[in-house]
């Protein structure tokens, strides 16, 4: 069981918030990690594995012009996937993965190019722009390693946002408990 997934489920459950996932290159691995956590049903709404490019537009509402111009491996596509799954499945938070796991390049992008995104109810002081947050990755390794690291990265991105959503007082208390850092 993934400890980051455990932390994500725990925080979402405590906050009374929900999560939905849109996956491309990870093909359901993010959802599998989340649902491996006991009690995940309290926070996890579901997922859409939109492996085919046209499904990103049809199921998740990704702009067709964007897909035609840039292909599926693009930071804006990742952001729109996260926002689209959040809306489609009625969740507080949406996650997305899109990229090239190999063995061949795709949409002019080399193997290991990945974009992960989170969309959620960001507070005014969260530091995230409206529309969510996207992280671009250049990963090494074989297909399985790229996919696993993509899962780890998108869950870590969400965890960072969830922890960052604490109020200033909660953050100060956590700092005191952790040696003042």
């Amino acid at each position: 069981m993934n400890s980051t997934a455990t932390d994500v489920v725990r925080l979402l459950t405590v906050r009374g918030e929900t999560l939905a996932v849109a996956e491309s290159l990870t093909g359901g691995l993010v959802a599998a990690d989340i649902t491996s956590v006991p009690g995940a049903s309290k926070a996890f709404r579901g997922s859409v594995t939109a492996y085919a490019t046209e499904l990103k537009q049809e199921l998740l509402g990704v702009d067709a012009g964007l897909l035609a111009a840039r292909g599926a491996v693009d930071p804006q596509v990742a952001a729109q996937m996260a926002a689209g799954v959040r809306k489609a499945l009625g969740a507080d938070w949406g996650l997305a993965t899109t990229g090239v796991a190999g063995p061949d390049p795709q949409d002019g992008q080399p193997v290991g190019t990945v974009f992960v995104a989170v969309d959620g109810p960001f507070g005014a002081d969260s530091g995230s722009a409206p529309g969510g947050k996207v992280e671009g990755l250049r990963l090494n390794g074989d297909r399985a390693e790229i996919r696993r690291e993509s899962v780890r990265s998108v869950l870590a991105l969400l965890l960072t946002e969830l922890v960052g959503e604490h109020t200033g007082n909660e953050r100060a208390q956590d700092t005191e408990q952790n040696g003042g850092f």
Side-chain angles (χ1 to χ4, degrees):
M1 185 182 323
N2 181 319
S3 64
T4 304
T6 300
D7 290 342
V8 163
V9 169
R10 181 183 53 78
L11 281 171
L12 288 170
T13 300
V14 165
R15 294 162 60 127
E17 295 177 339
T18 57
L19 173 65
V21 178
E23 298 187 66
S24 186
L25 85 150
T26 51
L29 293 174
V30 177
D33 265 12
I34 292 165
T35 58
S36 72
V37 177
S41 62
K42 293 176 183 150
F44 188 61
R45 298 272 305 150
S47 65
V48 174
T49 300
Y51 211 65
T53 299
E54 67 271 12
L55 293 180
K56 292 169 180 63
Q57 189 270 320
E58 293 169 10
L59 298 176
L60 300 170
V62 175
D63 181 80
L66 174 64
L67 289 167
R70 297 194 191 158
V73 183
D74 181 83
Q76 286 183 304
V77 170
Q80 288 184 19
M81 287 173 65
V85 79
R86 179 180 175 213
K87 180 180 178 184
L89 300 186
D92 297 300
W93 294 89
L95 291 182
T97 63
T98 187
V100 187
D104 300 314
Q106 178 186 334
D107 297 332
Q109 298 287 350
V111 172
T113 302
V114 174
F115 296 98
V116 296
V118 60
D119 189 80
F122 298 107
D125 64 345
S126 72
S128 292
K133 188 170 190 175
V134 178
E135 188 174 285
L137 308 169
R138 292 286 182 176
L139 304 176
N140 295 313
D142 63 20
R143 182 175 174 79
E145 291 168 324
I146 290 168
R147 294 174 77 214
R148 288 304 316 162
E149 183 58 24
S150 298
V151 171
R152 190 205 64 74
S153 295
V154 77
L155 289 173
L157 182 62
L158 175 58
L159 186 59
T160 298
E161 292 302 318
L162 290 171
V163 170
E165 287 285 306
H166 286 308
T167 65
N169 187 40
E170 289 168 326
R171 202 175 291 130
Q173 289 173 357
D174 186 52
T175 299
E176 289 171 15
Q177 292 171 359
N178 289 303
F181 293 105

